[in-house]
């Protein structure tokens, strides 16, 4: 047993040293999928950290109670809660008015909270610019201020009363813009809006005839048990606020997870193409191992070990890449303070990423490894090419085709599995590009009652999407280059034979390009509806389809890219003298 293990290890190290380029390509292909999956799975954990930092810095409450009643009835309802069992501290009740703020011609719902200049024991908003509240001034929650475009020193209008912006601040007692919880007094229907603070002596004037609501902040003995605190639908827990804030990252997480699915498909196609070429090149070694007594299980172990090791290395690289990239690529909301610190991935993330890497490695190598293990010793030692499968209808059809098209069809007939990999590669690439077109044509805004402002959720999407697109394009490019060069190397002898029978170098080169374009066409055609369907499936809102001319340009662009990638190696292959190619062919 130890001797067999030593042999497997020696063959593994030998292959990794001798085939460094292919090993790097395998590592890159699987790492692209695992790194994107790591980003998607850790995004929620990443999003929670700034809120926890904000909650600690602002003495955030465990429970916020806002009765539907207004005026004195609300105060009477809140009074007994401060002495309830399990409550260790409280702040407020603070008066609240649900008004309208206008700045620079933009009007939006504003939750106006009256506060004193002295800091409270619970919920002390952290001033990020300017100063805290004072008479005649307003402090705007920082994300809300960014959305409406106000800065310290500007003047805003709150229900007809001009106020000077004296500062911006963040808090953990309410969700960041646009989930501040605006609603009409006494109504349970919550609408989007932003949060501002004013001096408590000014709020009655700002509210005019509107009855004031009140909010009470509570600190509990066990903050984790705040979800079970018995106050009904008038209660908001810090966990609920955290969940609302995490909604801002929902679209970005979907983009990363869907991107990891597409990258997994590309990685599977790319790894399968590379592995097939490697195992075919090792056919004579398989024969030698069988000649000295190795059985099918030993042959499979020799091959599987190599790709499982590469898969584990890619899983580790992807985890590390996603871990370090998350704080750089995903910025916290302006309504929160602190930074996104890189922390070790959760165990479930490690397991999921490792499983993905090993699944890609095993799925891509299973068929060629089983074929190698089942190959007879004599056939493997002869290292002869596998004869193509001939079909009567295919031969009948190819005879009636132009020379270049005939050559392309017969090249694909010799290697149908490679042609299918080209189809998969172009299908996934087109699907991703069409999805990007759909996303870029969207115009999503948040309705804030009187105007529509940019959707802050799309900001996180726009941070994550370029990463997915760049990695997808690079991996698709690598797959196309590998597939093209493999096809060129494999078709040298058939092309040389075709040239001896009368085909010109130009016809041979065009035939090789046709061999790549023919399987790419169905992939591109299927990729357009696949991209539209994918966005329809995962989008939480109604999608807007791009113009048909954009879709057509995308399809033609993918086909032109395939043709361009094939042109150079095809020219190199057809310039080589026929005699040199035939002499170098194995006998």
């Amino acid at each position: 047993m130890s001797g067999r293990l030593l042999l497997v290890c020696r063959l593994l190290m030998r292959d990794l040293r001798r085939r460094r380029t292919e090993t790097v390509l395998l590592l890159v292909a699987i790492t692209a999928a695992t790194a994107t999956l790591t980003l998607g799975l850790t995004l929620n954990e990443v999003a929670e950290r700034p809120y926890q930092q904000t909650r600690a810095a602002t003495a955030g409450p465990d429970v916020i109670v806002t009765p539907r009643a207004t005026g004195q009835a609300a105060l009477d309802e809140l009074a007994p809660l401060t002495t309830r069992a399990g409550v260790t501290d409280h702040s407020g009740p603070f008066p609240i008015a649900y008004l309208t703020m206008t700045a620079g011609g933009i009007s939006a719902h504003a939750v106006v909270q009256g506060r004193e200049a002295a800091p409270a024991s619970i919920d002390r908003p952290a001033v990020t610019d300017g100063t805290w509240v004072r008479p005649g001034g307003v402090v705007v929650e920082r994300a809300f201020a960014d959305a409406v475009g106000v800065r310290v020193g500007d003047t805003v209008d709150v229900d007809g009363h001009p106020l000077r912006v004296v500062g911006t601040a963040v808090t953990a007692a309410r969700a960041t813009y646009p989930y501040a919880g605006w609603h009409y007094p006494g109504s349970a229907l919550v609408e989007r809006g932003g949060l501002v603070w004013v001096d408590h002596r000014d709020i009655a004037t700002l509210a005019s005839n509107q009855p004031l609501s009140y909010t009470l902040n509570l600190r509990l003995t066990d903050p984790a048990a705040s979800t079970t605190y018995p106050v009904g639908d008038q209660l908001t827990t810090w966990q609920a606020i955290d969940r609302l804030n995490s909604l801002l990252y929902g679209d970005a997480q979907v983009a990363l997870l869907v991107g990891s699915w597409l990258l997994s498909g590309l990685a599977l196609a790319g790894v399968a193409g590379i592995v097939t070429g490697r195992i075919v090149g090792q056919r004579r070694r398989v024969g030698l191992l069988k000649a000295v007594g190795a059985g099918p299980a030993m042959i499979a172990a020799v091959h599987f070990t190599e790709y499982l090791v590469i898969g584990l290395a890619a899983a580790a690289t992807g985890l590390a890449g996603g871990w370090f990239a998350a704080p750089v690529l995903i910025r916290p909301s302006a309504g929160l303070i602190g930074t996104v610190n890189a922390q070790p991935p959760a165990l479930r993330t490690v397991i999921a990423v490792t499983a993905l890497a090993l699944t890609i490695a095993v799925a891509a190598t299973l068929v060629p490894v089983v074929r190698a293990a089942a190959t007879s010793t004599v056939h493997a030692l002869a290292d002869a090419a596998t004869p193509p499968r001939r079909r009567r209808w295919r031969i009948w059809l190819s005879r009636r085709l132009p020379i270049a098209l005939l050559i392309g069809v017969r090249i694909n007939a010799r290697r149908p599995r490679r042609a299918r990999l080209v189809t998969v590669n172009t299908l996934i690439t087109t699907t991703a590009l069409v999805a990007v077109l759909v996303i870029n044509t969207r115009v999503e805004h948040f309705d804030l009652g009187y105007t529509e402002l940019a959707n802050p959720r799309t900001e996180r999407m726009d941070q994550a999407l370029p990463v997915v697109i760049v990695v997808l394009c690079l991996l698709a490019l690598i797959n196309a280059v590998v597939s093209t060069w493999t096809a060129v190397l494999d078709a040298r002898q058939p092309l040389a034979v075709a040239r001896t029978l009368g085909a010109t170098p130009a016809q041979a080169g065009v035939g090789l390009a046709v061999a790549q374009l023919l399987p790419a066409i169905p992939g591109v055609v299927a990729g357009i509806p696949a991209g539209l369907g994918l966005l329809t499936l995962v989008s939480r809102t109604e999608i807007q389809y791009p113009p048909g001319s954009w879709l057509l340009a995308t399809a033609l662009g993918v086909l032109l890219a395939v043709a361009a990638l094939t042109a150079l190696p095809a020219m190199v292959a057809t310039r080589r003298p026929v005699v040199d190619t035939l002499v170098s062919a194995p006998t």
Side-chain angles (χ1 to χ4, degrees):
M1 183 64 183
S2 60
R4 292 183 178 182
L5 182 61
L6 180 61
L7 175 62
V8 170
C9 293
R10 286 182 174 178
L11 291 175
L12 168 65
M13 297 305 298
R14 178 177 176 273
D15 284 344
L16 294 179
R17 285 197 302 267
R18 292 189 61 185
R19 300 173 181 268
R20 295 178 182 176
T21 302
E22 294 175 356
T23 300
V24 171
L25 291 177
L26 289 170
L27 189 64
V28 169
I30 304 177
T31 298
T34 55
T36 308
L37 179 61
T38 302
L39 275 172
L41 292 177
T42 58
L43 186 56
N44 274 347
E45 301 169 17
V46 166
E48 290 175 359
R49 295 168 196 162
Y51 176 75
Q52 296 295 346
Q53 295 171 10
T54 304
R55 187 165 180 263
T58 61
D62 300 327
V63 172
I64 303 95
V65 185
T66 307
R68 290 187 189 175
T70 58
Q72 188 59 44
L75 294 174
D76 294 340
E77 187 174 336
L78 293 174
L81 299 181
T82 60
T83 57
R84 178 175 287 186
V87 176
T88 60
D89 196 4
H90 73 279
S91 65
F94 300 116
I96 289 181
Y98 301 100
L99 308 175
T100 302
M101 186 181 82
T102 302
I106 298 175
S107 298
H109 288 149
V111 179
V112 183
Q113 185 176 119
R115 297 296 294 263
E116 297 179 356
S121 59
I122 303 176
D123 183 25
R124 298 189 295 270
V127 176
T128 57
D129 192 16
T131 62
W132 186 228
V133 295
R134 61 174 182 259
V138 60
V139 177
V140 185
E141 190 257 338
R142 184 168 61 176
F144 189 33
D146 287 353
V148 297
V150 300
R151 298 291 182 268
V152 174
D154 293 346
T155 299
V156 298
D157 183 282
V158 178
D159 259 30
H161 299 83
L163 296 175
R164 186 170 180 269
V165 178
V166 296
T168 59
V170 298
T171 181
R174 279 184 180 264
T176 186
Y177 161 84
Y179 301 115
W182 193 97
H183 63 87
Y184 292 100
S187 172
L189 181 61
V190 177
E191 301 182 25
R192 299 184 181 101
L195 174 65
V196 300
W197 298 270
V198 298
D199 189 273
H200 69 285
R201 291 165 291 188
D202 292 341
I203 192 167
T205 303
L206 298 176
S208 300
N209 297 327
Q210 183 184 118
L212 293 178
S213 301
Y214 288 88
T215 184
L216 177 68
N217 300 316
L218 302 179
R219 177 74 50 78
L220 304 183
T221 305
D222 182 11
S226 58
T227 54
T228 62
Y229 193 74
V231 183
D233 59 359
Q234 304 167 6
L235 172 146
T236 304
T237 65
W238 67 268
Q239 294 96 330
I241 296 174
D242 192 12
R243 284 193 296 271
L244 281 175
N245 286 334
S246 67
L247 290 177
L248 298 176
Y249 299 86
D251 291 343
Q253 187 180 34
V254 170
L256 290 171
L257 291 179
V258 172
S260 69
W261 302 344
L262 296 175
L263 283 169
S264 298
L266 278 180
L268 188 61
V271 172
I274 297 173
V275 168
T276 300
R278 287 180 70 141
I279 293 181
V280 169
Q282 295 170 343
R283 186 158 42 193
R284 185 172 180 81
R285 189 181 72 177
V286 170
L288 292 174
L289 289 173
K290 287 192 170 186
V292 297
M298 183 65 181
I299 300 298
V302 169
H303 288 94
F304 270 128
T305 301
E306 178 179 352
Y307 300 113
L308 290 178
V309 168
I310 294 175
L312 289 173
T317 307
L319 281 168
W323 173 29
F324 287 112
V328 177
L329 298 176
I330 307 299
R331 297 188 299 273
S333 167
L336 302 172
I337 60 175
T339 57
V340 178
N341 298 320
Q343 297 182 8
L347 179 60
R348 62 184 178 87
T349 300
V350 175
I351 294 174
V353 170
T354 304
L356 174 65
L358 295 181
T359 299
I360 292 174
V362 172
T365 59
L366 184 61
V367 173
V369 167
V370 170
R371 287 180 178 175
T375 302
S376 67
T377 304
V378 174
H379 182 73
L381 288 173
D383 196 18
T386 303
R389 297 179 179 178
R390 302 185 184 277
R391 298 286 188 271
R392 286 180 177 271
W393 67 268
R394 191 178 292 165
I395 295 174
W396 176 85
L397 178 62
S398 63
R399 285 175 178 174
R400 288 157 176 78
L401 296 176
I403 299 298
L405 190 56
L406 182 148
I407 292 174
V409 169
R410 293 201 169 185
I411 288 176
N412 285 336
R414 294 181 69 251
R415 292 289 185 266
R417 189 165 179 263
R418 182 178 297 145
R420 288 193 290 269
L421 292 178
V422 173
T423 302
V424 171
N425 191 48
T426 52
L427 168 63
I428 297 175
T429 304
T430 307
T431 299
L433 293 177
V434 169
V436 172
L437 284 180
V438 174
I439 292 173
N440 286 338
T441 56
R442 79 195 189 283
V443 180
E444 294 185 14
H445 294 91
F446 270 155
D447 181 9
L448 293 185
Y450 309 96
T451 188
E452 289 188 343
L453 298 180
N455 187 343
R457 293 172 61 170
T458 61
E459 296 178 5
R460 275 73 197 169
M461 166 79 91
D462 294 340
Q463 293 170 16
L465 195 60
V467 178
V468 176
I469 297 308
V470 169
V471 177
L472 273 168
C473 291
L474 288 177
L475 191 53
L477 179 63
I478 291 174
N479 285 358
V481 170
V482 170
S483 175
T484 300
W485 276 105
T486 305
V488 168
L489 294 176
D490 185 65
R492 284 183 302 179
Q493 281 76 38
L495 288 178
V497 172
R499 290 173 62 187
T500 61
L501 296 176
T504 64
Q507 289 174 331
V510 173
L512 187 57
V514 167
Q516 294 294 103
L517 282 173
L518 286 178
I521 292 173
V524 170
V525 172
I528 293 176
L532 299 176
L534 180 64
L535 260 294
T536 304
L537 178 65
V538 302
S539 178
R540 295 184 175 92
T541 58
E542 184 179 355
I543 67 171
Q544 182 178 354
Y545 295 107
S549 58
W550 292 16
L551 297 176
L552 179 61
T554 301
L556 294 178
V558 173
L559 293 177
L560 287 175
V562 173
L565 290 172
T566 311
L568 180 60
M571 291 174 58
V572 173
T574 54
R575 284 186 177 183
R576 187 178 185 185
V578 175
V579 175
D580 293 346
T581 302
L582 294 177
V583 168
S584 63
T587 57

